[in-house]
């Protein structure tokens, strides 16, 4: 329902005890999680130097307070970058590949008209998201950086 742009018929107002317990444990580690994501983003910002890849945040240093659930980059041929990374066992994200999300059935439910915001459409086609989660340690961050720096466009 939600992905079709319809109101949800049922929305829980309380978490089940098991979920609430899990959330409390995750909140205890929130500060460390945010610090880790910022550290990974700083590594990407400092070392990715491929001219085919645009770091949209290069003019806005990582230290600005963003949390970086994902680290977004722009690349003209995003699908080719996905394939290049996949060959190396790296999965990159395409979370922001639509101007309006979710864009199901041509975005009819959002009343978005294609062509009405060409800049946003271009950016969404070129958007690739790099992971920043806790499993991205130094070695994995280096592998991702090397992968992006070796991409030929």
């Amino acid at each position: 329902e939600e992905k079709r742009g319809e109101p949800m018929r049922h929305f829980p107002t309380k978490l089940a005890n098991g979920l609430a317990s899990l959330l409390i444990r995750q909140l205890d580690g929130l500060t460390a999680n945010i610090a880790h994501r910022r550290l990974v983003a700083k590594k990407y910002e400092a070392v990715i130097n491929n001219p085919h890849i645009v770091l949209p945040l290069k003019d806005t240093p990582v230290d600005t307070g963003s949390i970086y659930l994902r680290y977004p980059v722009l690349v003209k041929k995003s699908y080719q970058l996905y394939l290049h990374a996949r060959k190396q066992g790296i999965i990159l994200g395409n979370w922001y590949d639509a101007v309006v999300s979710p864009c199901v059935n041509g975005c009819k439910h959002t009343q978005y008209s294609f062509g009405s915001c060409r800049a946003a459409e271009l950016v969404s086609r070129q958007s690739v998201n790099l992971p920043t989660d806790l499993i991205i340690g130094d070695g994995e961050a280096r592998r991702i950086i090397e992968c992006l720096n070796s991409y030929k466009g």
Side-chain angles (χ1 to χ4, degrees):
E1 297 162 334
E2 184 179 12
K3 288 203 173 225
R4 289 190 307 267
E6 300 169 4
M8 294 175 56
R9 284 178 266 169
H10 172 71
F11 192 83
T13 56
K14 290 200 274 184
L15 290 175
N17 289 342
L19 290 175
S21 175
L22 177 63
L23 176 61
I24 288 169
R25 282 196 303 272
Q26 288 178 342
L27 287 174
D28 287 341
L30 184 60
T31 301
N33 187 312
I34 290 170
H36 175 80
R37 289 178 186 279
R38 287 181 177 150
L39 180 65
V40 172
K42 265 188 173 178
K43 289 176 187 177
Y44 291 151
E45 179 181 71
V47 187
I48 294 173
N49 57 18
N50 187 326
H52 299 290
I53 297 172
V54 178
L55 305 179
L57 304 173
K58 198 69 170 177
D59 295 331
T60 307
V62 168
D63 297 336
T64 59
S66 296
I67 294 173
Y68 301 98
L69 180 62
R70 299 284 184 268
Y71 186 83
V73 298
L74 297 177
V75 59
K76 286 184 180 172
K77 298 177 182 176
S78 58
Y79 187 70
Q80 286 184 353
L81 178 58
Y82 291 123
L83 293 178
H84 175 74
R86 182 160 288 183
K87 287 178 187 173
Q88 298 179 48
I90 297 170
I91 305 299
L92 301 177
N94 64 346
W95 281 27
Y96 310 110
D97 63 349
V99 176
V100 179
S101 191
C103 186
V104 181
N105 297 325
C107 294
K108 290 178 185 170
H109 68 277
T110 64
Q111 299 179 3
Y112 178 75
S113 298
F114 285 96
S116 64
C117 192
R118 293 184 194 280
E121 291 169 17
L122 176 64
V123 168
S124 65
R125 284 192 304 273
Q126 295 179 352
S127 178
V128 175
N129 302 283
L130 310 183
T132 61
D133 48 294
L134 292 172
I135 63 168
I136 305 299
D138 282 338
E140 188 64 14
R142 273 194 306 274
R143 277 184 18 128
I144 293 167
I145 290 165
E146 288 170 9
C147 173
L148 268 67
N149 284 338
S150 70
Y151 173 67
K152 302 293 186 213

Short mmCIF file of all heavy atoms in Angstrom, two decimals, residues 77-134:
data_model
loop_
_atom_site.label_atom_id
_atom_site.label_comp_id
_atom_site.label_asym_id
_atom_site.label_seq_id
_atom_site.Cartn_x
_atom_site.Cartn_y
_atom_site.Cartn_z
N LYS A 77 27.64 6.61 -16.30
CA LYS A 77 27.17 5.27 -16.68
C LYS A 77 27.09 4.41 -15.42
O LYS A 77 27.89 3.51 -15.22
CB LYS A 77 28.10 4.67 -17.72
CG LYS A 77 28.16 5.48 -19.01
CD LYS A 77 29.15 4.89 -19.98
CE LYS A 77 29.21 5.75 -21.24
NZ LYS A 77 30.24 5.26 -22.18
N SER A 78 26.09 4.68 -14.61
CA SER A 78 25.99 4.02 -13.30
C SER A 78 25.90 2.50 -13.43
O SER A 78 26.51 1.77 -12.65
CB SER A 78 24.82 4.57 -12.51
OG SER A 78 23.61 4.40 -13.20
N TYR A 79 25.16 2.02 -14.41
CA TYR A 79 25.00 0.57 -14.55
C TYR A 79 26.36 -0.10 -14.82
O TYR A 79 26.63 -1.17 -14.31
CB TYR A 79 24.00 0.23 -15.66
CG TYR A 79 23.68 -1.23 -15.73
CD1 TYR A 79 22.94 -1.85 -14.72
CD2 TYR A 79 24.15 -2.02 -16.77
CE1 TYR A 79 22.66 -3.21 -14.76
CE2 TYR A 79 23.88 -3.38 -16.83
CZ TYR A 79 23.14 -3.96 -15.82
OH TYR A 79 22.87 -5.31 -15.86
N GLN A 80 27.20 0.55 -15.61
CA GLN A 80 28.52 -0.01 -15.88
C GLN A 80 29.36 -0.06 -14.60
O GLN A 80 30.12 -0.99 -14.38
CB GLN A 80 29.25 0.80 -16.95
CG GLN A 80 28.70 0.55 -18.34
CD GLN A 80 29.49 1.30 -19.41
OE1 GLN A 80 30.37 2.11 -19.12
NE2 GLN A 80 29.16 1.03 -20.66
N LEU A 81 29.21 0.95 -13.74
CA LEU A 81 29.92 0.93 -12.47
C LEU A 81 29.41 -0.22 -11.59
O LEU A 81 30.20 -0.92 -10.96
CB LEU A 81 29.81 2.26 -11.74
CG LEU A 81 30.49 2.32 -10.37
CD1 LEU A 81 31.98 2.01 -10.46
CD2 LEU A 81 30.26 3.68 -9.72
N TYR A 82 28.08 -0.43 -11.57
CA TYR A 82 27.53 -1.55 -10.81
C TYR A 82 28.15 -2.87 -11.27
O TYR A 82 28.54 -3.71 -10.47
CB TYR A 82 26.01 -1.64 -10.95
CG TYR A 82 25.24 -0.52 -10.29
CD1 TYR A 82 24.36 0.26 -11.03
CD2 TYR A 82 25.37 -0.24 -8.94
CE1 TYR A 82 23.66 1.29 -10.44
CE2 TYR A 82 24.66 0.78 -8.34
CZ TYR A 82 23.81 1.55 -9.10
OH TYR A 82 23.11 2.56 -8.52
N LEU A 83 28.22 -3.05 -12.60
CA LEU A 83 28.79 -4.29 -13.15
C LEU A 83 30.28 -4.41 -12.81
O LEU A 83 30.75 -5.50 -12.44
CB LEU A 83 28.59 -4.35 -14.66
CG LEU A 83 27.14 -4.47 -15.14
CD1 LEU A 83 27.10 -4.46 -16.68
CD2 LEU A 83 26.49 -5.72 -14.59
N HIS A 84 31.01 -3.34 -12.94
CA HIS A 84 32.44 -3.33 -12.62
C HIS A 84 32.65 -3.75 -11.15
O HIS A 84 33.52 -4.58 -10.85
CB HIS A 84 33.00 -1.92 -12.87
CG HIS A 84 34.42 -1.73 -12.47
ND1 HIS A 84 35.47 -2.26 -13.19
CD2 HIS A 84 34.97 -1.06 -11.41
CE1 HIS A 84 36.61 -1.93 -12.59
NE2 HIS A 84 36.33 -1.20 -11.52
N ALA A 85 31.85 -3.20 -10.27
CA ALA A 85 31.96 -3.53 -8.85
C ALA A 85 31.54 -4.97 -8.58
O ALA A 85 32.21 -5.69 -7.82
CB ALA A 85 31.12 -2.57 -8.02
N ARG A 86 30.46 -5.40 -9.21
CA ARG A 86 29.97 -6.76 -8.97
C ARG A 86 31.01 -7.80 -9.36
O ARG A 86 31.16 -8.82 -8.70
CB ARG A 86 28.67 -6.99 -9.75
CG ARG A 86 28.13 -8.39 -9.48
CD ARG A 86 26.71 -8.51 -9.80
NE ARG A 86 25.98 -7.77 -8.78
CZ ARG A 86 24.67 -7.71 -8.73
NH1 ARG A 86 23.96 -8.31 -9.63
NH2 ARG A 86 24.06 -7.03 -7.79
N LYS A 87 31.75 -7.54 -10.46
CA LYS A 87 32.81 -8.46 -10.87
C LYS A 87 33.87 -8.62 -9.79
O LYS A 87 34.57 -9.62 -9.75
CB LYS A 87 33.48 -7.97 -12.16
CG LYS A 87 32.63 -8.14 -13.39
CD LYS A 87 33.33 -7.59 -14.61
CE LYS A 87 32.39 -7.61 -15.82
NZ LYS A 87 32.99 -6.92 -16.98
N GLN A 88 33.99 -7.63 -8.94
CA GLN A 88 34.97 -7.67 -7.84
C GLN A 88 34.33 -8.06 -6.51
O GLN A 88 34.93 -7.93 -5.46
CB GLN A 88 35.65 -6.31 -7.73
CG GLN A 88 36.42 -5.96 -9.00
CD GLN A 88 37.07 -4.60 -8.92
OE1 GLN A 88 37.72 -4.27 -7.93
NE2 GLN A 88 36.91 -3.81 -9.96
N GLY A 89 33.08 -8.52 -6.58
CA GLY A 89 32.39 -8.95 -5.37
C GLY A 89 31.90 -7.83 -4.50
O GLY A 89 31.69 -8.00 -3.30
N ILE A 90 31.71 -6.65 -5.08
CA ILE A 90 31.26 -5.48 -4.32
C ILE A 90 29.87 -5.10 -4.80
O ILE A 90 29.63 -4.95 -5.99
CB ILE A 90 32.23 -4.29 -4.52
CG1 ILE A 90 33.62 -4.66 -3.96
CG2 ILE A 90 31.70 -3.02 -3.89
CD1 ILE A 90 34.71 -3.68 -4.31
N ILE A 91 28.97 -4.94 -3.86
CA ILE A 91 27.60 -4.55 -4.18
C ILE A 91 27.42 -3.08 -3.82
O ILE A 91 27.60 -2.68 -2.67
CB ILE A 91 26.57 -5.40 -3.39
CG1 ILE A 91 26.79 -6.90 -3.64
CG2 ILE A 91 25.15 -4.98 -3.76
CD1 ILE A 91 26.66 -7.34 -5.08
N LEU A 92 27.09 -2.28 -4.82
CA LEU A 92 26.82 -0.86 -4.61
C LEU A 92 25.31 -0.65 -4.63
O LEU A 92 24.58 -1.44 -5.21
CB LEU A 92 27.49 -0.03 -5.71
CG LEU A 92 29.01 -0.19 -5.81
CD1 LEU A 92 29.55 0.63 -6.97
CD2 LEU A 92 29.69 0.21 -4.51
N GLY A 93 24.85 0.44 -4.05
CA GLY A 93 23.42 0.69 -3.94
C GLY A 93 22.88 1.62 -5.00
O GLY A 93 23.60 2.43 -5.57
N ASN A 94 21.59 1.48 -5.26
CA ASN A 94 20.90 2.39 -6.19
C ASN A 94 19.62 2.91 -5.53
O ASN A 94 18.58 2.97 -6.12
CB ASN A 94 20.59 1.70 -7.52
CG ASN A 94 19.62 0.54 -7.36
OD1 ASN A 94 19.37 0.07 -6.26
ND2 ASN A 94 19.09 0.08 -8.45
N TRP A 95 19.75 3.31 -4.29
CA TRP A 95 18.60 3.76 -3.51
C TRP A 95 17.89 4.95 -4.12
O TRP A 95 16.70 5.10 -3.97
CB TRP A 95 19.05 4.15 -2.12
CG TRP A 95 19.29 3.01 -1.19
CD1 TRP A 95 19.63 1.73 -1.52
CD2 TRP A 95 19.22 3.06 0.22
NE1 TRP A 95 19.79 0.99 -0.40
CE2 TRP A 95 19.54 1.78 0.69
CE3 TRP A 95 18.94 4.05 1.12
CZ2 TRP A 95 19.56 1.47 2.03
CZ3 TRP A 95 18.97 3.75 2.46
CH2 TRP A 95 19.28 2.46 2.91
N TYR A 96 18.62 5.83 -4.74
CA TYR A 96 18.05 7.10 -5.18
C TYR A 96 17.97 7.17 -6.70
O TYR A 96 18.34 8.14 -7.31
CB TYR A 96 18.86 8.27 -4.61
CG TYR A 96 19.06 8.11 -3.12
CD1 TYR A 96 20.31 7.82 -2.60
CD2 TYR A 96 17.99 8.20 -2.24
CE1 TYR A 96 20.48 7.64 -1.23
CE2 TYR A 96 18.15 8.03 -0.88
CZ TYR A 96 19.41 7.75 -0.38
OH TYR A 96 19.58 7.56 0.96
N ASP A 97 17.48 6.10 -7.31
CA ASP A 97 17.46 6.02 -8.77
C ASP A 97 16.15 6.53 -9.38
O ASP A 97 15.88 6.31 -10.54
CB ASP A 97 17.75 4.60 -9.23
CG ASP A 97 16.70 3.60 -8.78
OD1 ASP A 97 15.85 3.96 -7.93
OD2 ASP A 97 16.73 2.47 -9.27
N ALA A 98 15.35 7.22 -8.60
CA ALA A 98 14.10 7.81 -9.10
C ALA A 98 13.93 9.20 -8.49
O ALA A 98 14.35 9.44 -7.36
CB ALA A 98 12.91 6.93 -8.72
N VAL A 99 13.32 10.09 -9.25
CA VAL A 99 13.08 11.45 -8.76
C VAL A 99 12.13 11.42 -7.57
O VAL A 99 12.33 12.10 -6.58
CB VAL A 99 12.50 12.33 -9.89
CG1 VAL A 99 12.14 13.70 -9.38
CG2 VAL A 99 13.48 12.42 -11.03
N VAL A 100 11.10 10.62 -7.68
CA VAL A 100 10.12 10.45 -6.62
C VAL A 100 10.13 8.97 -6.26
O VAL A 100 10.12 8.11 -7.14
CB VAL A 100 8.70 10.86 -7.10
CG1 VAL A 100 7.69 10.64 -6.01
CG2 VAL A 100 8.70 12.29 -7.57
N SER A 101 10.18 8.68 -4.98
CA SER A 101 10.25 7.29 -4.58
C SER A 101 9.16 6.98 -3.57
O SER A 101 8.86 7.80 -2.71
CB SER A 101 11.63 7.04 -3.97
OG SER A 101 11.84 5.68 -3.80
N PRO A 102 8.54 5.82 -3.68
CA PRO A 102 8.79 4.83 -4.72
C PRO A 102 8.10 5.22 -6.03
O PRO A 102 7.02 5.78 -6.02
CB PRO A 102 8.20 3.56 -4.15
CG PRO A 102 7.12 4.01 -3.24
CD PRO A 102 7.55 5.35 -2.70
N CYS A 103 8.77 4.91 -7.11
CA CYS A 103 8.22 5.21 -8.44
C CYS A 103 7.73 3.90 -9.04
O CYS A 103 8.45 3.23 -9.77
CB CYS A 103 9.28 5.87 -9.32
SG CYS A 103 8.62 6.42 -10.90
N VAL A 104 6.53 3.53 -8.70
CA VAL A 104 5.93 2.29 -9.17
C VAL A 104 4.92 2.64 -10.27
O VAL A 104 4.20 3.63 -10.17
CB VAL A 104 5.21 1.56 -8.00
CG1 VAL A 104 4.61 0.26 -8.46
CG2 VAL A 104 6.18 1.34 -6.85
N ASN A 105 4.90 1.83 -11.32
CA ASN A 105 3.96 2.04 -12.44
C ASN A 105 4.06 3.45 -13.02
O ASN A 105 3.06 4.13 -13.23
CB ASN A 105 2.52 1.76 -12.00
CG ASN A 105 2.31 0.33 -11.58
OD1 ASN A 105 2.92 -0.57 -12.14
ND2 ASN A 105 1.48 0.10 -10.59
N GLY A 106 5.30 3.89 -13.29
CA GLY A 106 5.49 5.19 -13.92
C GLY A 106 5.17 6.37 -13.02
O GLY A 106 4.91 7.47 -13.51
N CYS A 107 5.19 6.19 -11.73
CA CYS A 107 4.98 7.27 -10.75
C CYS A 107 3.58 7.89 -10.84
O CYS A 107 3.39 9.03 -10.42
CB CYS A 107 6.03 8.36 -10.90
SG CYS A 107 7.69 7.83 -10.49
N LYS A 108 2.60 7.18 -11.36
CA LYS A 108 1.26 7.73 -11.50
C LYS A 108 0.67 8.18 -10.16
O LYS A 108 0.00 9.21 -10.09
CB LYS A 108 0.33 6.72 -12.16
CG LYS A 108 0.65 6.50 -13.62
CD LYS A 108 -0.25 5.45 -14.23
CE LYS A 108 0.20 5.18 -15.65
NZ LYS A 108 -0.45 4.03 -16.22
N HIS A 109 0.93 7.42 -9.12
CA HIS A 109 0.35 7.76 -7.82
C HIS A 109 0.92 9.04 -7.23
O HIS A 109 0.32 9.65 -6.38
CB HIS A 109 0.50 6.59 -6.84
CG HIS A 109 1.92 6.33 -6.43
ND1 HIS A 109 2.78 5.59 -7.20
CD2 HIS A 109 2.63 6.73 -5.36
CE1 HIS A 109 3.95 5.53 -6.62
NE2 HIS A 109 3.89 6.22 -5.50
N THR A 110 2.10 9.46 -7.69
CA THR A 110 2.69 10.69 -7.17
C THR A 110 2.36 11.90 -8.02
O THR A 110 2.67 13.03 -7.64
CB THR A 110 4.23 10.59 -7.10
OG1 THR A 110 4.74 10.45 -8.43
CG2 THR A 110 4.66 9.42 -6.25
N GLN A 111 1.79 11.66 -9.18
CA GLN A 111 1.44 12.70 -10.15
C GLN A 111 2.68 13.42 -10.68
O GLN A 111 2.61 14.57 -11.12
CB GLN A 111 0.44 13.69 -9.56
CG GLN A 111 -0.85 13.03 -9.16
CD GLN A 111 -1.85 13.97 -8.55
OE1 GLN A 111 -1.62 15.17 -8.45
NE2 GLN A 111 -2.98 13.44 -8.13
N TYR A 112 3.83 12.73 -10.65
CA TYR A 112 5.04 13.31 -11.21
C TYR A 112 5.02 13.16 -12.73
O TYR A 112 4.72 12.10 -13.24
CB TYR A 112 6.30 12.64 -10.65
CG TYR A 112 7.56 13.22 -11.26
CD1 TYR A 112 8.02 14.47 -10.88
CD2 TYR A 112 8.25 12.53 -12.25
CE1 TYR A 112 9.15 15.03 -11.45
CE2 TYR A 112 9.38 13.08 -12.83
CZ TYR A 112 9.82 14.33 -12.44
OH TYR A 112 10.94 14.87 -13.01
N SER A 113 5.34 14.22 -13.44
CA SER A 113 5.40 14.19 -14.90
C SER A 113 6.86 14.14 -15.33
O SER A 113 7.63 15.07 -15.05
CB SER A 113 4.76 15.45 -15.49
OG SER A 113 3.41 15.53 -15.13
N PHE A 114 7.22 13.06 -16.02
CA PHE A 114 8.60 12.94 -16.49
C PHE A 114 8.90 14.09 -17.44
O PHE A 114 8.09 14.48 -18.26
CB PHE A 114 8.82 11.58 -17.15
CG PHE A 114 8.94 10.49 -16.14
CD1 PHE A 114 7.84 9.72 -15.80
CD2 PHE A 114 10.14 10.26 -15.49
CE1 PHE A 114 7.93 8.73 -14.84
CE2 PHE A 114 10.25 9.27 -14.53
CZ PHE A 114 9.14 8.50 -14.20
N GLY A 115 10.09 14.65 -17.27
CA GLY A 115 10.51 15.80 -18.05
C GLY A 115 10.29 17.11 -17.32
O GLY A 115 10.80 18.14 -17.73
N SER A 116 9.55 17.08 -16.22
CA SER A 116 9.26 18.33 -15.50
C SER A 116 10.43 18.77 -14.62
O SER A 116 10.51 19.93 -14.23
CB SER A 116 7.99 18.20 -14.66
OG SER A 116 8.17 17.23 -13.65
N CYS A 117 11.34 17.87 -14.32
CA CYS A 117 12.52 18.22 -13.53
C CYS A 117 13.71 17.43 -14.07
O CYS A 117 14.15 16.45 -13.49
CB CYS A 117 12.29 17.93 -12.05
SG CYS A 117 13.56 18.67 -11.01
N ARG A 118 14.19 17.87 -15.20
CA ARG A 118 15.24 17.14 -15.91
C ARG A 118 16.53 16.99 -15.10
O ARG A 118 17.20 15.97 -15.16
CB ARG A 118 15.53 17.80 -17.25
CG ARG A 118 14.35 17.70 -18.20
CD ARG A 118 14.71 18.29 -19.56
NE ARG A 118 13.55 18.51 -20.38
CZ ARG A 118 12.91 17.56 -21.07
NH1 ARG A 118 13.32 16.32 -20.99
NH2 ARG A 118 11.86 17.86 -21.79
N ALA A 119 16.89 18.01 -14.33
CA ALA A 119 18.11 17.94 -13.53
C ALA A 119 18.01 16.81 -12.50
O ALA A 119 18.94 16.02 -12.33
CB ALA A 119 18.39 19.27 -12.85
N ALA A 120 16.89 16.72 -11.82
CA ALA A 120 16.70 15.66 -10.82
C ALA A 120 16.66 14.29 -11.49
O ALA A 120 17.17 13.31 -10.94
CB ALA A 120 15.41 15.89 -10.04
N GLU A 121 16.07 14.20 -12.68
CA GLU A 121 16.03 12.93 -13.41
C GLU A 121 17.44 12.49 -13.79
O GLU A 121 17.80 11.32 -13.67
CB GLU A 121 15.14 13.06 -14.64
CG GLU A 121 13.68 13.21 -14.28
CD GLU A 121 12.81 13.60 -15.47
OE1 GLU A 121 13.25 13.46 -16.64
OE2 GLU A 121 11.68 14.07 -15.22
N LEU A 122 18.27 13.45 -14.22
CA LEU A 122 19.66 13.13 -14.58
C LEU A 122 20.43 12.65 -13.36
O LEU A 122 21.12 11.63 -13.41
CB LEU A 122 20.33 14.36 -15.19
CG LEU A 122 21.81 14.21 -15.54
CD1 LEU A 122 22.01 13.17 -16.64
CD2 LEU A 122 22.40 15.55 -15.96
N VAL A 123 20.32 13.37 -12.26
CA VAL A 123 21.03 13.00 -11.05
C VAL A 123 20.58 11.62 -10.55
O VAL A 123 21.40 10.80 -10.16
CB VAL A 123 20.86 14.07 -9.94
CG1 VAL A 123 21.34 13.56 -8.60
CG2 VAL A 123 21.60 15.34 -10.33
N SER A 124 19.29 11.35 -10.61
CA SER A 124 18.81 10.04 -10.14
C SER A 124 19.34 8.90 -11.01
O SER A 124 19.62 7.83 -10.50
CB SER A 124 17.29 10.02 -10.04
OG SER A 124 16.69 10.14 -11.31
N ARG A 125 19.50 9.14 -12.30
CA ARG A 125 20.06 8.10 -13.18
C ARG A 125 21.55 7.88 -12.91
O ARG A 125 22.07 6.80 -13.14
CB ARG A 125 19.88 8.47 -14.66
CG ARG A 125 18.49 8.28 -15.18
CD ARG A 125 18.43 8.37 -16.71
NE ARG A 125 18.97 9.62 -17.24
CZ ARG A 125 18.27 10.75 -17.41
NH1 ARG A 125 16.99 10.77 -17.08
NH2 ARG A 125 18.84 11.82 -17.91
N GLN A 126 22.23 8.90 -12.43
CA GLN A 126 23.68 8.82 -12.22
C GLN A 126 24.07 8.51 -10.78
O GLN A 126 25.24 8.33 -10.48
CB GLN A 126 24.32 10.16 -12.63
CG GLN A 126 24.20 10.45 -14.10
CD GLN A 126 24.83 11.78 -14.48
OE1 GLN A 126 25.25 12.56 -13.65
NE2 GLN A 126 24.90 12.02 -15.78
N SER A 127 23.11 8.42 -9.90
CA SER A 127 23.37 8.25 -8.47
C SER A 127 23.76 6.80 -8.15
O SER A 127 23.08 5.86 -8.54
CB SER A 127 22.12 8.64 -7.68
OG SER A 127 22.33 8.44 -6.31
N VAL A 128 24.86 6.66 -7.43
CA VAL A 128 25.32 5.37 -6.92
C VAL A 128 25.65 5.58 -5.45
O VAL A 128 26.22 6.61 -5.08
CB VAL A 128 26.57 4.88 -7.68
CG1 VAL A 128 27.11 3.60 -7.08
CG2 VAL A 128 26.25 4.69 -9.16
N ASN A 129 25.30 4.62 -4.63
CA ASN A 129 25.50 4.76 -3.19
C ASN A 129 26.52 3.76 -2.67
O ASN A 129 26.40 2.57 -2.91
CB ASN A 129 24.17 4.55 -2.46
CG ASN A 129 23.14 5.53 -2.95
OD1 ASN A 129 23.16 6.68 -2.58
ND2 ASN A 129 22.26 5.08 -3.83
N LEU A 130 27.50 4.27 -1.97
CA LEU A 130 28.54 3.43 -1.38
C LEU A 130 28.15 3.09 0.05
O LEU A 130 27.62 3.94 0.78
CB LEU A 130 29.88 4.17 -1.38
CG LEU A 130 30.31 4.81 -2.70
CD1 LEU A 130 31.68 5.44 -2.55
CD2 LEU A 130 30.28 3.81 -3.84
N PRO A 131 28.42 1.86 0.47
CA PRO A 131 28.03 1.46 1.83
C PRO A 131 28.90 2.11 2.89
O PRO A 131 30.09 2.38 2.67
CB PRO A 131 28.25 -0.06 1.80
CG PRO A 131 29.29 -0.28 0.76
CD PRO A 131 29.07 0.79 -0.28
N THR A 132 28.31 2.36 4.04
CA THR A 132 29.03 2.93 5.18
C THR A 132 28.77 2.15 6.47
O THR A 132 29.25 2.55 7.52
CB THR A 132 28.60 4.39 5.42
OG1 THR A 132 27.21 4.43 5.70
CG2 THR A 132 28.93 5.28 4.22
N ASP A 133 28.04 1.06 6.39
CA ASP A 133 27.62 0.35 7.60
C ASP A 133 28.79 -0.30 8.34
O ASP A 133 29.92 -0.30 7.88
CB ASP A 133 26.54 -0.67 7.28
CG ASP A 133 26.89 -1.54 6.10
OD1 ASP A 133 26.97 -1.01 4.98
OD2 ASP A 133 27.10 -2.75 6.29
N LEU A 134 28.49 -0.85 9.49
CA LEU A 134 29.52 -1.35 10.40
C LEU A 134 30.37 -2.47 9.83
O LEU A 134 31.49 -2.69 10.29
CB LEU A 134 28.88 -1.79 11.72
CG LEU A 134 28.30 -0.66 12.57
CD1 LEU A 134 27.51 -1.21 13.75
CD2 LEU A 134 29.38 0.29 13.03
#
